[in-house]
């Protein structure tokens, strides 16, 4: 039998329906692979009992012949999603011991569709980071290596555990969240596909909040078809989330024709950054030619406020984070500091937060509190909100000209080594989000597709940005790019 862990969601679904394999067999194979891959530190809470119980139920459902596409397929869940009775820490010490009594809408939808949860996946603490180095569980490790070099590389962040697990074939797919690129950047770093849907397409209920106006859940998968299958399962209106939009969810997989003749693809001049590595520039040019060869019309476009996106993002996101994280105080759940005699409620707050939050989270909470303070609210926060509106208008103007999708690099480089961008200069780390944050600020759908490798054999991705609510069209363009690029590279197994 072929190695079951190498299957895509679509292939595994078809094998389950044909009776070639059972969900229990599939699940047991993945559980074994996870236990052998502790070196990657991707899975941080393993749930084999839940997995096997759901796999048995899925087999019974498939036998009855009424199973949805995701039924019986083993997946991983990012630690940011609350899962009933299973630790959900958002990779933070302050939520140590927290096991929710409820299920996030996205993970509930997956459970309802018969998907099998293998466990919870590593991430940056509260989704704040681009390298998975801020996790209370320790670093997640990229399964890829540079040539013959043994140096550990980042899988990207904040959905680093999800990316590493999918790339290393420890699950068929995984959930991620994207606040400024946290699905697309790790997908590019690990040679997988990651899509951030339009803001409001997937419910945020039960997802631990980082920046509420930017956060969006999405699938991380081995290819575009799998992204379409999983996205359909997790989309949909949710009355528990006031930002969730009541729109019909199309059959995204059925929209994958690969025909993009006559589509207009925009190439934004502002994304040609100073100092962009030649390999990224070359990949972008090649991707443009691939889409052109597939029949698309290439149009040079301008998104003039792009240069303000990163500073605006790093005002808005920390501001929302400082508000959202105020609820973690040691009173009701999670970590509580040991208090000295005479300590009151203020000391409990201070000590609990000092012990529970990591340095990067503390830094962003302080930045956010500062920009929201009375003397600086207008100078920073309101100005950033105005810039956000201008960035959104840039995209609206371009789409009004008939542009169907925009092609850009996904990241400014391939995966870098763990420890190479440390606390010494957080700005260097923030620059990793340069191509992705505009999409979150404008609430648009974006997808990262692996399209090549660099000189050291590491994967590189290109990003496609689509019109709001037109994920099906975006996925089809991505599918055409994927077919043309023919990316099939996999990391050599060293773990």
């Amino acid at each position: 039998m072929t190695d079951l862990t190498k299957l895509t969601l679509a292939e595994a679904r078809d094998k389950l329906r044909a009776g070639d394999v059972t969900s229990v067999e599939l699940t047991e194979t993945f559980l074994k692979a996870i236990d052998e891959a502790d070196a990657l530190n991707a899975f941080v809470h393993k749930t084999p009992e839940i997995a096997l119980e759901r796999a048995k139920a899925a087999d019974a459902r498939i036998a009855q012949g009424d199973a949805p596409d995701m039924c019986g397929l083993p997946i991983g869940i990012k630690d940011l999603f609350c899962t009933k009775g299973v630790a959900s820490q958002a990779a933070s010490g302050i939520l140590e011991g927290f096991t929710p009594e409820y299920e996030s809408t996205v993970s509930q939808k997956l459970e309802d569709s018969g998907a099998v949860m293998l466990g919870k996946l590593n991430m940056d603490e509260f989704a704040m980071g681009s390298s998975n180095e801020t996790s209370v569980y320790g670093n997640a490790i990229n399964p890829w290596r540079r040539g013959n070099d043994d140096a550990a590389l980042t899988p990207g962040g904040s959905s680093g555990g999800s990316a590493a697990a999918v790339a290393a074939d420890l699950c068929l797919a995984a959930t991620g969240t994207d606040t400024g690129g946290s699905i697309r950047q790790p997908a590019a770093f690990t040679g997988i596909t990651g899509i951030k849907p339009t803001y409001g397409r997937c419910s945020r209920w039960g997802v631990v909040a980082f920046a509420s106006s930017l956060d969006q859940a999405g699938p991380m998968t081995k290819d575009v078809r799998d992204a379409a299958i999983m996205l359909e399962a997790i989309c949909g209106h949710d009355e528990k989330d006031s930002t969730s939009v009541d729109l019909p969810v199309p059959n995204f997989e059925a929209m994958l024709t690969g025909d993009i003749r006559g589509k207009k693809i925009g190439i934004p001049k502002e994304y040609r950054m100073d100092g962009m590595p030649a390999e990224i520039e070359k990949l972008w040019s090649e991707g443009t030619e691939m889409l052109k060869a597939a029949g698309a019309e290439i149009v040079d476009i301008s998104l003039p406020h792009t240069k303000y996106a990163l500073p605006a993002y790093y005002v808005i996101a920390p501001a929302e984070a400082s508000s959202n994280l105020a609820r973690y105080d040691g009173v009701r759940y999670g970590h509580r500091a040991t208090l000295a005699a005479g300590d009151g409620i203020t000391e409990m707050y201070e000590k609990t937060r000092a012990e529970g939050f990591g340095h990067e989270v503390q830094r962003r909470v302080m930045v956010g509190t500062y920009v929201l303070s009375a003397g600086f609210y207008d100078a920073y926060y309101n100005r950033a909100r105005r810039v956000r509106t201008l960035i959104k208008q840039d995209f609206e103007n371009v789409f009004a000209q008939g542009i169907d999708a925009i092609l850009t690099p996904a990241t400014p480089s391939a995966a870098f080594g763990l420890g190479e961008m440390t606390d010494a200069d957080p700005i260097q780390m923030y620059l990793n989000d340069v191509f992705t944050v505009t999409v979150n600020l404008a609430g648009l759908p974006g997808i990262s597709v692996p399209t090549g490798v660099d000189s050291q054999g590491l994967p590189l991705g290109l990003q496609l940005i689509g019109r709001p609510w037109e994920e099906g069209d975006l996925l089809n363009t991505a599918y055409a790019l994927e077919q043309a690029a023919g990316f099939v590279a996999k990391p050599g197994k060293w773990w």
Side-chain angles (χ1 to χ4, degrees):
M1 187 181 279
T2 54
D3 185 348
L4 296 175
T5 64
K6 298 282 189 281
L7 297 174
T8 63
L9 281 176
E11 289 166 349
R13 170 194 64 186
D14 296 345
K15 282 187 177 293
L16 285 169
R17 301 300 177 278
D20 296 341
V21 68
T22 65
S23 180
V24 169
E25 287 168 345
L26 205 52
T27 301
E28 284 173 341
T29 304
F30 277 109
L31 291 173
K32 183 169 180 286
I34 291 166
D35 284 339
E36 292 169 356
D38 286 344
L40 295 175
N41 200 26
F43 276 88
V44 289
H45 298 294
K46 301 174 184 176
T47 56
E49 295 86 2
I50 293 172
L52 288 168
E53 185 185 314
R54 290 190 189 170
K56 284 172 189 160
D59 281 333
R61 199 166 166 187
I62 291 165
Q64 288 167 1
D66 66 340
D69 282 346
M70 290 294 295
C71 191
L73 302 178
I75 58 167
I77 303 289
K78 186 178 178 178
D79 194 40
L80 207 62
F81 293 83
C82 288
T83 41
K84 187 174 181 178
V86 178
S88 305
Q89 280 183 242
S92 179
I94 207 156
L95 277 172
E96 186 179 356
F98 175 59
T99 51
E101 288 302 310
Y102 54 90
E103 191 81 27
S104 78
T105 299
V106 165
S107 53
Q108 186 66 58
K109 279 177 172 287
L110 287 165
E111 183 182 339
D112 291 346
S113 71
V116 174
M117 180 176 77
L118 295 166
K120 302 296 285 289
L121 292 157
N122 206 346
M123 55 178 281
D124 279 294
E125 184 182 5
F126 283 108
M128 297 182 198
S130 303
S131 63
N132 217 132
E133 291 175 279
T134 67
S135 170
V136 73
Y137 310 118
N139 304 338
I141 313 291
N142 194 328
W144 292 79
R145 291 274 167 95
R146 294 184 186 123
N148 298 317
D149 186 349
D150 285 345
L153 303 180
T154 175
S158 65
S159 309
S162 300
V166 175
D169 296 323
L170 306 184
C171 54
L172 289 174
T175 61
T177 61
D178 193 309
T179 305
S182 289
I183 285 174
R184 291 158 291 151
Q185 183 248 28
F189 276 4
T190 55
I192 66 169
T193 298
I195 182 168
K196 177 203 104 64
T198 312
Y199 181 79
R201 187 56 114 164
C202 293
S203 171
R204 291 183 299 107
W205 195 84
V207 181
V208 179
F210 163 13
S212 303
S213 74
L214 300 162
D215 299 344
Q216 191 61 192
M220 302 180 74
T221 58
K222 297 183 186 182
D223 63 17
V224 173
R225 182 173 297 279
D226 285 5
I229 293 168
M230 188 167 171
L231 183 61
E232 187 183 343
I234 64 174
C235 282
H237 179 57
D238 179 13
E239 290 177 354
K240 296 197 288 280
D241 175 6
S242 62
T243 60
S244 167
V245 173
D246 193 359
L247 278 177
V249 179
N251 181 336
F252 294 123
E253 188 184 8
M255 298 173 81
L256 301 180
T257 62
D259 184 359
I260 57 166
R261 286 172 297 182
K263 294 286 183 188
K264 286 188 176 179
I265 308 294
I267 308 294
K269 64 181 184 186
E270 289 79 9
Y271 283 59
R272 297 194 188 282
M273 304 289 179
D274 290 340
M276 184 191 284
E279 288 175 320
I280 301 287
E281 183 83 55
K282 179 170 174 280
L283 184 82
W284 194 9
S285 298
E286 288 171 352
T288 305
E289 288 306 312
M290 287 175 200
L291 293 174
K292 193 174 178 181
E297 181 188 340
I298 306 300
V299 183
D300 287 326
I301 60 168
S302 176
L303 298 165
H305 295 94
T306 296
K307 63 184 172 190
Y308 306 116
L310 214 52
Y313 173 83
Y314 277 104
V315 169
I316 291 168
E320 295 189 13
S322 75
S323 173
N324 277 326
L325 270 58
R327 71 191 69 169
Y328 304 111
D329 52 17
V331 175
R332 286 151 298 188
Y333 48 77
H335 175 72
R336 180 187 292 188
T338 305
L339 304 180
D343 281 351
I345 188 82
T346 304
E347 287 80 12
M348 188 192 77
Y349 286 163
E350 289 172 352
K351 289 181 178 178
T352 296
R353 287 170 177 158
E355 290 173 12
F357 289 139
H359 292 314
E360 181 58 34
V361 171
Q362 290 177 8
R363 178 187 289 123
R364 296 200 199 189
V365 167
M366 286 192 288
V367 167
T369 306
Y370 177 80
V371 301
L372 290 175
S373 60
F376 301 101
Y377 193 89
D378 281 338
Y380 291 105
Y381 185 64
N382 270 342
R383 186 174 291 182
R385 286 169 64 198
R386 286 197 291 272
V387 168
R388 179 182 191 170
T389 301
L390 292 170
I391 288 166
K392 192 166 184 286
Q393 284 172 355
D394 284 350
F395 283 106
E396 286 168 356
N397 293 339
V398 163
F399 291 134
Q401 293 161 25
I403 297 296
D404 294 291
I406 297 165
L407 181 72
T408 79
T411 57
S413 69
F416 48 88
L418 290 164
E420 282 179 16
M421 294 193 196
T422 50
D423 276 355
D425 184 8
I427 304 296
Q428 283 302 111
M429 190 71 84
Y430 296 169
L431 288 171
N432 261 287
D433 303 333
V434 67
F435 297 125
T436 50
V437 295
T438 53
V439 179
N440 299 80
L441 289 168
L444 298 171
I447 186 168
S448 174
V449 181
T451 42
V453 293
D454 73 357
S455 58
Q456 296 175 305
L458 296 178
L460 297 169
L462 287 174
Q463 172 181 238
L464 282 160
I465 303 166
R467 293 165 168 268
W469 316 115
E470 294 189 14
E471 288 87 358
D473 198 48
L474 177 65
L475 283 159
N476 187 46
T477 307
Y479 184 63
L481 179 63
E482 176 186 71
Q483 299 296 102
F487 182 90
V488 291
K490 293 286 288 183
K493 189 171 179 184
W494 52 266
W495 58 91

